[in-house]
Amino acid sequence: MKDGNVFSEYRVRDAISGGDAEAALGLRNLWTIEEGLKLQTGFERVHAISGTGTGEATAVTLGVEYTANQLWKGSTRLEVREGKSSDSILATVAAASKLGRDWTFLGRNTYSLLKNKGQGVDQGAGQNEQNRFQVGLAYRDTDADVWNALARVEHRSENDSTNKEIRLKRSVELISLHANWQPRRPFTFSGRIAAKWTTENSNGIASKNNAQLISG
């Protein structure tokens, strides 16, 4: 296989204290369907050699990448992992679209879900669900390459019930503006303005807060 990769790894966790030792074996492939369209596949198996063995898992991944169009590009990836102590799903999707000579639209979303199986004294049978969505507008001074800027809006949410003592539920809204000015090649001046709003409802206690940031 031209773009195939077989890997074998020996992993040690908490080695100083004599923790778990694991062996991982996997296969990654990149399939070119046509010019600008690629399919990514992967498989991984983790086996415990010593320790508690809670890290044993089997994972399968599938991804698609499209780069044929000169004005827009996109990619998506899905990973499903089944383990001895938990199961998880990780999904990502991203896109970039050129709006003009100097302007580009960017978008990305990442979703993850982890479900515990309730094995172990300290581990509950809850789940941790997280989502992160970002959209942005990028500016690059193509002719002079003096100014570069990025405006971004982001939404984050988290709902975690894996800890029996703490039930976490949080949502965050972010806006930010980043800019670089390079009047001469040895010098670059950068600045950032950002604001954040957080809404939290953990353990039955509701709270809201906000913060602002100016840096240079």
Side-chain angles (χ1 to χ4, degrees), residues 51-206:
T52 60
T54 56
E56 287 199 358
T58 302
V60 178
T61 61
L62 177 65
V64 179
E65 179 182 299
Y66 178 78
T67 58
N69 196 302
Q70 294 184 353
L71 297 180
W72 71 275
K73 306 180 187 300
S75 64
T76 182
R77 184 175 181 270
L78 175 66
E79 177 183 302
V80 179
R81 182 176 295 268
E82 181 182 6
K84 184 176 181 180
S85 59
S86 63
D87 298 333
S88 64
I89 296 174
L90 176 63
T92 61
V93 58
S97 177
K98 211 165 172 51
L99 304 178
R101 181 175 172 82
D102 300 325
W103 296 90
T104 304
F105 170 81
L106 305 168
R108 178 173 62 182
N109 191 82
T110 302
Y111 173 81
S112 68
L113 176 64
L114 184 144
K115 290 186 175 182
N116 279 342
K117 296 182 177 179
Q119 296 184 1
V121 178
D122 299 328
Q123 188 188 68
Q127 66 179 32
N128 187 342
E129 184 179 22
Q130 298 186 32
N131 191 72
R132 185 177 184 182
F133 174 70
Q134 296 173 306
V135 291
L137 190 63
Y139 172 80
R140 179 181 293 274
D141 188 358
T142 307
D143 295 326
D145 196 20
V146 174
W147 284 96
N148 290 279
L150 172 66
R152 186 172 64 191
V153 178
E154 181 175 344
H155 168 76
R156 300 179 189 173
S157 63
E158 183 178 3
N159 194 343
D160 188 0
S161 60
T162 56
N163 191 326
K164 294 182 290 185
E165 305 297 329
I166 301 175
R167 175 65 184 263
L168 177 65
K169 188 175 183 181
R170 177 190 297 134
S171 64
V172 179
E173 314 297 333
L174 283 163
I175 60 172
S176 61
L177 177 63
H178 314 251
N180 286 346
W181 177 48
Q182 190 176 28
R184 288 190 171 188
R185 186 174 295 274
F187 301 100
T188 300
F189 300 89
S190 62
R192 178 173 56 165
I193 302 174
K196 178 177 71 172
W197 296 267
T198 304
T199 302
E200 188 164 349
N201 191 350
S202 301
N203 276 358
I205 300 175

Side-chain angles (χ1 to χ4, degrees), residues 198-216:
T198 304
T199 302
E200 188 164 349
N201 191 350
S202 301
N203 276 358
I205 300 175
S207 63
K208 293 183 178 181
N209 64 78
N210 60 79
Q212 295 79 37
L213 170 69
I214 300 178
S215 68

